[in-house]
Amino acid sequence: MNGSKTDEWGRKYMEKYSLYEEFAERITNLLQNLIEGEGIEVYSVLGRAKAPGEFIRAAGFPGMTNGPVLTGIPDLCSIKILVSFPDDVEKVEQIIQKEFLADMSRSIPMSSLEAPDRYGYPSVSYVLSLNRDRGALREWAKYKDLPFTLEVRTVLQEVWASNAPKVSLPTDSVTRKKMQRRLFRLTALLEEADEGFLSMWETARETAMP
């Protein structure tokens, strides 16, 4: 992207940045209330608008050559939800599918993560926007055309996501294969730990004294 286009997009985003900040805060609060309202324990719900400097450094957004249409860029507002157990991820996924419009062509639902040959420990992620009913409400109307990205992970999945990129370094093919094999093993251990903690929690809940 040339300098004039970058400046044009930068100016447009600076004009809208406070709107995206406000949107991130309101969506974060809404999601927290929706999830806790279903009795799901939430470790954290974090929302943020992309910083202007970060936005300007980015390039290659679809549609940029057609002029500044920020509503086509979903990651200007992003939300991350951390929960304790894998079944909580599934419950949160059901809530967001019910309460928001999902762009499934750009989303990764839990059902797509069941492939036995997948690599890594990916999280459930969605590109979402307000549904028609919520977008029609006066207090939400100004956000109705704004998409946002959402990730749902367990705490152990967040550990993987934070640390795996640090060890995925370019190296010779022999060492790379060894590292990939170790990462596969770590993936299996983390999945086993997630499922093990869930099983222990269910047993403790069922056998607890009144």
Side-chain angles (χ1 to χ4, degrees):
M1 184 186 304
N2 60 43
S4 61
K5 280 290 184 182
T6 301
D7 292 342
E8 183 183 5
W9 278 82
R11 285 194 299 271
K12 289 292 183 181
Y13 186 55
M14 285 296 293
E15 292 171 2
K16 297 289 187 179
Y17 179 59
S18 61
L19 176 66
Y20 280 94
E21 280 192 309
E22 187 180 287
F23 184 44
E25 181 179 0
R26 294 202 60 183
I27 286 291
T28 298
N29 292 334
L30 173 63
L31 284 164
Q32 181 110 25
N33 291 334
L34 289 172
I35 295 167
E36 290 180 346
E38 294 296 324
I40 302 169
E41 183 178 353
V42 183
Y43 185 82
S44 68
V45 182
L46 302 173
R48 64 182 289 267
K50 178 172 282 189
E54 184 183 358
F55 171 80
I56 292 170
R57 287 191 299 271
F61 290 117
M64 273 195 162
T65 56
N66 298 325
V69 183
L70 296 173
T71 53
I73 306 172
D75 69 343
L76 299 183
C77 173
S78 58
I79 313 293
K80 181 189 293 184
I81 300 172
L82 299 182
V83 293
S84 298
F85 304 115
D87 69 332
D88 292 332
V89 174
E90 186 175 359
K91 293 174 185 176
V92 171
E93 185 178 34
Q94 292 171 357
I95 292 171
I96 62 178
Q97 288 178 348
K98 176 183 176 182
E99 297 289 341
F100 299 93
L101 295 178
D103 182 348
M104 297 308 297
S105 66
R106 295 189 286 177
S107 300
I108 304 175
M110 180 172 281
S111 59
S112 70
L113 302 179
E114 300 301 324
D117 59 344
R118 68 172 172 81
Y119 174 71
Y121 201 25
S123 59
V124 169
S125 63
Y126 279 84
V127 173
L128 301 168
S129 57
L130 300 178
N131 62 27
R132 181 179 299 178
D133 291 341
R134 197 178 304 278
L137 298 174
R138 180 179 300 177
E139 62 269 29
W140 288 97
K142 62 181 175 179
Y143 313 115
K144 65 179 181 179
D145 296 322
L146 302 183
F148 64 98
T149 60
L150 182 141
E151 290 183 312
V152 189
R153 296 172 174 164
T154 67
V155 176
L156 286 180
Q157 286 175 330
E158 179 68 4
V159 171
W160 167 270
S162 298
N163 289 298
K166 299 175 184 177
V167 298
S168 299
L169 302 176
T171 182
D172 65 274
S173 59
V174 175
T175 306
R176 185 183 303 113
K177 288 181 180 179
K178 290 181 179 178
M179 291 178 65
Q180 287 178 340
R181 187 169 185 275
R182 291 188 68 184
L183 284 170
F184 272 121
R185 290 166 60 194
L186 287 172
T187 300
L189 287 171
L190 284 171
E191 289 183 340
E192 186 70 22
D194 252 341
E195 293 171 2
F197 279 123
L198 173 59
S199 177
M200 291 174 65
W201 177 76
E202 290 176 338
T203 300
R205 183 179 57 179
E206 292 169 359
T207 59
M209 293 291 290

